[in-house]
Amino acid sequence: MNLPSPINLYLAGARGSCPTDTGFDTTMIKKILIANRGEIAVRVIRACREMGITNVAVFSDIDSVAKHVRMADEAYHIGPSPSSESYLVMEKIIEVAKKAGVDAIHPGYGFLSENARFAKMVMDNKLTWIGPPPEAIARMGDKLEARVTAVDSGAPVVPGFKSKIENVEQIIDEVHKVGFPILIKAAAGGGGKGMRIVNNEEELPKALKTAANEARSAFGDDRVYFEKYIPKPHHVEIQILADKFGNMVYLGERECSIQRRHQKVIEEAPSPIITPEIRKKMGEAALKIASACGYVNAGTVEFLVDDDLNFYFLEVNTRLQVEHPVTEMITGIDLVKEQIKIASGEKLSFKQDGIRIHGHAIECRIYAEDPAANFAPSTGTLRSYVEPHGVGVRVDSGVYEGAQIPIFYDPMISKMIGWGATREEAVARTRRALTEYRISGVCTTVNFHLAVMDNENFKKGKINTHFIEEQFPDNVFSSKEEDHVYKAAAVSACLYDFLENSKLKTRVSSDGGRESNWKIAGRRMGVSRTPEK
Ligand code: MV4
C-alpha cells in the first residue's frame, strides 16, 4: 500500500517528467511532496510539472483514485479517510517525504498549512518548507499578537484594546472612548469563531464571560480582546510576496465580502471600491506588517474597509489562499511557482513598479452543497460533471466525472474564474461560463452563483459582508440536482405520450441552455418547483 500506485508509475513514465528547460534551477528543489488533496493539490502538481519538479501526492483510503493521485508523478497512501488519521498526521507525512526522497513540502491551504509546529518539523528533518517561517506563522496565528504587531508597525488597526481583557473595570474607560457597539474576539480565534457583539454597558460583563468560556472550550485558550464594531464592512485583502533577502511586493487586493457563515463564496480582483490611492496605502500597510513579523513567502493581509474607505488591519493568513487565482489572472504572476522559487532561495524577479493590474477576475467557489437544505454538504457520485471552457475562463477542480464526493473533507469541488477586460465583461463571462457547468449526482451552488451574477447590486459592485443575507434572505435557490426530479417527470411524460400515441417533440430552450430539456419535458407533466428569484 505504501508503494506508488501502478497508475502513477504508468503516468510518470508517459508524461510525468519534464525534459524541457523550464528556467528553474532544480539544484535545491527537484522533488516536492504535496501534503494536501483536491483542487489545491492539483494546482501545485501543475506548477511542479511546469518547473521540471517531480511531484509526490499523498492520499487517504477514500482518495485512492482521486484526481490529485491520478495526476501526480508518485502517490503514497497515508492512512484512513478521516483527515485526523491521514492528511493531518505530521509524522506520517514526514515519513513519506523521506521514503520518497523529496527535497521540499508544499502544504496547500487548510490541513497543516498554518501549523507552525509542522513547519518546524519539516525544517528539522532537513526538508524545505514551502511557506513562511514557523515564527511568523505562530505570531500571526495569535490574533492578539498579530494586532499588537500591526499597531507597532504603524498600520491602521480598528480602535480597541491591545492586550488580554482581565475584567470589566480594566477596559471600561477604553470602551467608552471607542464607543458601542464593540466586538469581543478570541485571541486564539479567527475566521469568525468566538466573536460577540456588545451593544451597551449592561451587556458587557455577561458577554465577556461567555466569550471567554466559548474561547476556552473551542481553542483551549480563554484570552479575549475587543475592537470597535464596524457595521457591514467590506473584506478586502492584500496579496504579498516576500523573498529571503528582504524584498517584498504587494500584488493588489481581492474583494472577499461575499461569504456565508464566514466561508467565502465569491471573490474578485480588483475590488470594485478600491481606488489606486487606497490600493497603494493598503499595500504599503500590508508590507509594513509583513516586515514587522519577518515574513517570507506568499501571504495575505486582511483588512476591513468601511463605506468611507477607511481601512483597518484584521488578520494575516500565512498560507496560499483558495482565492489566489483571481490575483494570478490580473497580475499574470503564478503564485505557486513564486512560492517554490522563494523557498529554493531565489530572489524576486520583479519590483513593485513592475507589477501591473490587467482587467478584472471573479472566482466562484462551486460547493457540493444543497442550497435548498440550508447549504448542507451533498455527498455522492458525480454522475455527470462537465466544466466550462472558452475565452477568459479558468477552472481549478479536484474532481472528474464519476468521482465520489466524500463526507470527510471540505465540499468545495471546483473553482471557476472568469476574466474580463472590465468588471462588466468579467461578470458576463462568469455568468456565461456558469451556464456551461453540467453537474448531476450531487447538489451544487452553481445556480446560486448564477443568481448572484444576475443580482443588480452585485452588477453595480454594491457588495459588503452582509450581501447574501440581505439580497437572498429566504435562501431559496434551485440546484442542478433538480434535473433528477425533471428526469423522472420526463420519463413519465414519455410514457404518457407513448400511451397517448403521440411523440415527445424536442423543444429548444431559448435562454442559452440554462433550462434543461429534462426540465422542459418535466414541466409538460405539470411538475413545478420553487421558481428562481
Ligand atoms: C470584525 C467585524 C466588524 N468589526 N471586526 C469575521 C471573521 C473574523 N476574521 C473577523 N470578522 C469580523 N471582524 C470588527 N472590529 C466584522 C467581521 C465580520 C466579517 C469579516 C470579514 C468577512 C466576513 C465577515 C462577516 C461577519 C463579520
Side-chain angles (χ1 to χ4, degrees), residues 276-315:
E277 295 71 43
I278 303 280
R279 176 171 304 121
K280 186 160 186 283
K281 282 189 187 156
M282 286 179 82
E284 283 166 3
L287 294 187
K288 271 191 213 164
I289 295 163
S291 300
C293 68
Y295 207 85
V296 177
N297 215 284
T300 300
V301 184
E302 295 183 353
F303 293 93
L304 292 178
V305 183
D306 67 21
D307 287 333
D308 301 325
L309 299 190
N310 298 306
F311 62 89
Y312 308 97
F313 166 77
L314 195 57
E315 290 175 17

Side-chain angles (χ1 to χ4, degrees), residues 16 34 38 49 97 100 127 131 161 176 201 252 271-272 311 355 402 434 533:
I34 301 146
R49 194 150 294 157
L127 298 162
F161 212 51
H176 282 299
E201 201 172 327
S271 164
F311 62 89
I355 289 155
L434 286 165
K533 284 175 57 77

Side-chain angles (χ1 to χ4, degrees), residues 5 14 31 40 76 138 172 176 192 207 228-229 306 334 347 373 377 382 446 452 458 460 482 497 499 509:
S5 56
K31 193 169 182 180
I40 197 59
Y76 291 80
I172 195 69
H176 282 299
K228 179 163 182 60
Y229 179 65
D306 67 21
D334 183 321
K347 283 190 173 143
L382 278 176
V446 170
V452 175
F458 179 79
K460 289 184 205 139
E482 266 186 69
D497 280 12
L499 291 173
S509 103

Side-chain angles (χ1 to χ4, degrees), residues 16-304:
S17 56
C18 182
T20 51
D21 181 11
T22 66
F24 178 68
D25 178 359
T26 53
T27 317
M28 298 297 291
I29 299 181
K30 282 184 222 23
K31 193 169 182 180
I32 291 176
L33 180 145
I34 301 146
N36 216 301
R37 66 179 303 282
E39 68 87 19
I40 197 59
V42 169
R43 172 70 189 86
V44 179
I45 289 169
R46 286 176 170 148
C48 289
R49 194 150 294 157
E50 288 176 26
M51 297 171 88
I53 298 168
T54 306
N55 52 80
V56 177
V58 292
F59 62 94
S60 68
D61 282 352
I62 202 155
D63 276 343
S64 63
V65 291
K67 182 165 169 181
H68 74 287
V69 174
R70 289 184 161 190
M71 281 181 67
D73 293 330
E74 295 173 23
Y76 291 80
H77 179 249
I78 51 164
S81 303
S83 44
S84 59
E85 298 173 59
S86 49
Y87 298 105
L88 286 171
V89 185
M90 302 186 232
E91 296 75 16
K92 278 190 194 174
I93 287 162
I94 299 286
E95 186 194 322
V96 170
K98 296 200 145 178
K99 193 187 297 184
V102 305
D103 306 300
I105 295 184
H106 193 300
Y109 54 70
F111 293 139
L112 297 169
S113 61
E114 290 178 283
N115 188 312
R117 212 153 55 78
F118 182 62
K120 183 154 191 313
M121 191 189 283
V122 170
M123 290 159 63
D124 288 347
N125 279 276
K126 307 255 177 300
L127 298 162
T128 298
W129 167 249
I130 304 173
E135 300 75 27
I137 299 177
R139 184 134 149 223
M140 294 299 116
D142 184 312
K143 303 308 162 195
L144 193 47
E145 269 191 66
R147 184 173 156 81
V148 172
T149 304
V151 171
D152 294 350
S153 80
V157 173
V158 195
F161 212 51
K162 256 184 90 165
S163 50
K164 170 181 183 280
I165 303 174
E166 303 288 352
N167 52 55
V168 177
E169 294 70 44
Q170 176 208 21
I171 59 162
I172 195 69
D173 290 348
E174 282 300 314
V175 169
H176 282 299
K177 227 182 273 170
V178 310
F180 287 103
I182 60 162
L183 188 61
I184 300 175
K185 296 183 170 186
K193 269 177 257 158
M195 301 197 312
R196 269 254 158 353
I197 300 172
V198 185
N199 294 298
N200 52 55
E201 201 172 327
E202 287 78 64
E203 290 177 14
L204 193 54
K206 194 160 167 253
L208 274 181
K209 243 180 235 131
T210 41
N213 284 340
E214 246 177 60
R216 192 184 309 112
S217 60
F219 313 111
D221 178 346
D222 66 359
R223 290 173 303 137
V224 294
Y225 62 103
F226 83 84
E227 290 177 356
K228 179 163 182 60
Y229 179 65
I230 313 286
K232 297 188 190 176
H234 286 254
H235 172 129
V236 179
E237 56 186 33
I238 301 282
Q239 175 71 53
I240 64 154
L241 283 175
D243 68 17
K244 292 181 180 174
F245 309 95
N247 304 302
M248 286 186 180
V249 294
Y250 58 90
L251 302 180
E253 78 284 1
R254 294 185 287 258
E255 164 76 59
C256 304
S257 294
I258 302 191
Q259 50 79 46
R260 56 189 313 285
R261 302 188 210 124
H262 300 295
Q263 189 183 59
K264 291 167 189 160
V265 180
I266 295 173
E267 306 95 343
E268 60 181 286
S271 164
I273 63 162
I274 299 296
T275 62
E277 295 71 43
I278 303 280
R279 176 171 304 121
K280 186 160 186 283
K281 282 189 187 156
M282 286 179 82
E284 283 166 3
L287 294 187
K288 271 191 213 164
I289 295 163
S291 300
C293 68
Y295 207 85
V296 177
N297 215 284
T300 300
V301 184
E302 295 183 353
F303 293 93
L304 292 178

Side-chain angles (χ1 to χ4, degrees), residues 501-517:
N501 219 359
S502 72
K503 264 198 201 151
L504 180 67
K505 292 188 206 88
T506 310
R507 269 170 44 176
V508 180
S509 103
S510 58
D511 69 346
R514 215 182 132 180
E515 201 165 57
S516 77
N517 287 329

